[in-house]
Amino acid sequence: MAYSEKVIDHYNNPRNVGSLDKNSPDVGTGLVGAPECGDVMKLQIKVNKQGIIEDAKFKTFGCGSAIASSSLATEWVKGKTLEEALAIKNIDIVKELNLPPIKIHCSVLAEDAIKSAIADYKKKQAALEQQQLNR
Amino acid sequence: MKLPIYMDNHATTPVDPRVFEAMKPYFLEHFGNAASRNHVFGWQAEEAVELARQQIAQLIGATAKEIIFTSGATESNNLAIKGVAEMYKERGNHIITAVTEHKAVLDSCKRLEKYGYRVTYLPVDKYGLIDPDDVKRAITDKTILISIMTANNEIGVIQPIEEIGRIAREHSVLMHTDAVQAIGKIPFNVNSMNVDLVSLTAHKIYGPKGIGALYVRRKNPRVQLVPLIDGGGHERGMRSGTLNVPAIVGFGKAAEIAMAEMPQEAERLRRLRDRLRDGILEAIPEVYVNGHPTKRLPGNLNMSFAYVEGESLLMGIKDVAVSSGSACTSASLEPSYVLKALGLGEDLAHSSIRFGIGRFNTEEEIDFTIDQVVSAVTKLRELSPLWEMVQEGIDLKKVQWQTHH
């Protein structure tokens, strides 16, 4: 099975590889997948005061399509509001990377990673607000 | 050095130029049907087929009349298992095999189960070895056949066939072995190994694809089979169909070369394999060799690279053609059933690569492969959240993973 040029490009030059401080209140972390399924994605977002995702990083254990899907996801969420980022659908990733049917689960995982990172950020913010109320 | 490098010789091998030369005349000049008894075209073809039969028989210590040509080892395995099952159904309905057999054996057995046969699938130990005592314990008065491969196609482990064959003989049970990966790589003799049926193929020993053989013992005991393919009664009635003369000639030549060169070639392959293994093990941590340390084919190396997924690793070493133990490339997304049978966790099974070193690989290619593997694994670990977590001291077994499939 041949990979699309875009998948190969993301594999050879993955965008935004790395980690943000997962304990920082303005960072949301999504960790999805499982080693025994052959793919695990960690996607992190850093959200500024205006609610814009100003940075995103990822690390992925998985096939080339999984690496490309998460690499693309970090590119797409940057500069978006949380609402806009939540609107990214796996099918958009499938189209952009020309993923074959057996690799669609990679795009699903990337969408889940975005949602999970945003949920983590929101949870942290809610906890912070709660703390301030209690003070 | 020419790229890409072919290092997947368990899947198939290139045709040896000497084999190709031997085959050539049988396409254009000596194109006769080996079954034509009335003219020189037929005689020449028959003579060539009989020489090949002799060459193949010699490689396994058999006689020429015991070699039945087939389309390949898948057919040979089907013929051995289904042919025996049907022929000896009055005597019993039980077959013994192992979980790590090739699909051609396993699926033939599964088919027979649908028709009322009973099949025991023996487990293997962490090296992939079968315990002959397990075979002995599995035998009942209904057992008609034991089918155990000589060497495994993924991890190259070599089974104690001689001993299992002796047990089979003591219990008057027929013994079949799929010897596709072993023939021409390690010494093999049907008599000292106590086997009655042996599946062979040409394309794993530098012969052409589409031609295989089944050894069927003629004496002590005389093995009989119900054919899968009916017709003109070729091959002692066990396999009808016009013989593929050029391919048979190539198979014979390949067997002759394998026989003559095996000792030196096995030694050379073992040296290259050890060089590849040691080169990788010395350069990167957390790499595991799957299979047995010594009881394995000389050209086989199967490794798991922890925290790196196999398919992405294949992408990273794109100039070297090898095979991933995880079948992520197929629709199943299942890691190798052979590696799982060794008790390897699914995470490591997903991280495995099979290297198959062959006759035409060079030391330069081995060194190039080491460099490629080391740099790809290093890069992918930088990219791996699992590697990062392990470096932070997190126990991956205790993480609550969010699984989706």
Side-chain angles (χ1 to χ4, degrees), chain B residues 15 19 23 201-204 206-212 246-251 254:
Chain B
V15 170
V19 169
M23 291 171 69
T201 196
H203 78 104
K204 312 277 194 195
Y206 312 94
K209 291 165 188 61
I211 188 73
I248 289 171
V249 168
F251 190 1

Side-chain angles (χ1 to χ4, degrees), chain B residues 42-267:
Chain B
W43 302 333
Q44 279 170 339
E46 193 192 9
E47 199 178 313
V49 166
E50 293 316 311
L51 171 65
R53 218 185 279 283
Q54 187 68 43
Q55 289 164 322
I56 295 158
Q58 255 169 24
L59 183 61
I60 60 169
T63 61
K65 284 183 176 163
E66 296 173 306
I67 301 298
I68 304 297
F69 287 113
T70 66
S71 62
T74 289
E75 187 189 329
S76 298
N77 284 333
N78 271 266
L79 176 57
I81 293 166
K82 294 174 185 169
V84 162
E86 167 103 53
M87 177 60 78
Y88 297 90
K89 64 181 176 211
E90 305 301 325
R91 197 181 291 176
N93 68 344
H94 179 227
I95 293 168
I96 299 170
T97 186
V99 291
T100 49
E101 291 295 311
H102 191 271
K103 286 286 180 194
V105 166
L106 294 175
D107 288 356
S108 292
C109 288
K110 292 215 176 90
R111 167 86 56 185
L112 289 173
E113 282 183 292
K114 282 187 195 149
Y115 299 145
Y117 288 84
R118 240 173 34 74
V119 182
T120 300
Y121 300 93
L122 296 175
V124 294
D125 69 10
K126 62 176 178 171
Y127 298 119
L129 279 173
I130 289 159
D131 182 350
D133 284 338
D134 283 349
V135 178
K136 200 183 284 180
R137 276 190 288 272
I139 294 176
T140 72
D141 56 354
K142 294 278 181 225
T143 308
I144 50 175
L145 180 71
I146 298 170
S147 178
I148 301 289
M149 71 198 337
T150 305
N152 184 268
N153 48 310
E154 289 190 38
I155 53 173
V157 63
I158 299 166
Q159 300 294 351
I161 295 300
E162 192 183 327
E163 211 177 329
I164 297 171
R166 193 178 309 122
I167 293 166
R169 194 141 293 170
E170 279 165 15
H171 292 81
S172 300
V173 173
L174 293 178
M175 175 75 195
H176 167 247
T177 187
D178 171 354
V180 161
Q181 297 289 345
I183 293 302
K185 317 291 162 63
I186 57 170
F188 189 96
N189 183 291
V190 293
N191 294 317
S192 69
M193 291 170 94
N194 310 309
V195 292
D196 305 310
L197 296 137
V198 182
S199 299
L200 310 167
T201 196
H203 78 104
K204 312 277 194 195
I205 58 167
Y206 312 94
K209 291 165 188 61
I211 188 73
L214 181 66
Y215 158 80
V216 184
R217 183 175 286 281
R218 288 186 84 209
K219 257 198 284 190
N220 309 317
R222 181 183 179 84
V223 179
Q224 289 177 291
L225 295 174
V226 173
L228 299 177
I229 296 175
D230 298 306
H234 308 74
E235 301 300 276
R236 292 165 54 204
M238 294 189 199
R239 207 285 189 177
S240 289
T242 298
L243 292 177
N244 182 353
V245 178
I248 289 171
V249 168
F251 190 1
K253 184 69 184 172
E256 184 194 67
I257 296 171
M259 178 98 182
E261 301 184 354
M262 195 189 325
Q264 306 88 295
E265 183 164 298
E267 193 42 50

Side-chain angles (χ1 to χ4, degrees), chain B residues 1-6 319-321 360-362 364-365 368-369:
Chain B
M1 193 175 57
K2 221 177 99 207
L3 296 179
I5 294 163
Y6 187 74
D319 291 325
V320 187
F360 302 107
N361 288 124
T362 63
E364 191 188 10
E365 290 177 339
F368 178 86
T369 303

Side-chain angles (χ1 to χ4, degrees), chain B residues 381-396:
Chain B
R381 280 186 176 165
E382 283 306 308
L383 212 66
S384 168
L386 305 179
W387 178 249
E388 181 183 66
M389 290 163 88
V390 169
Q391 303 307 305
E392 288 169 2
I394 296 169
D395 182 353
L396 296 182

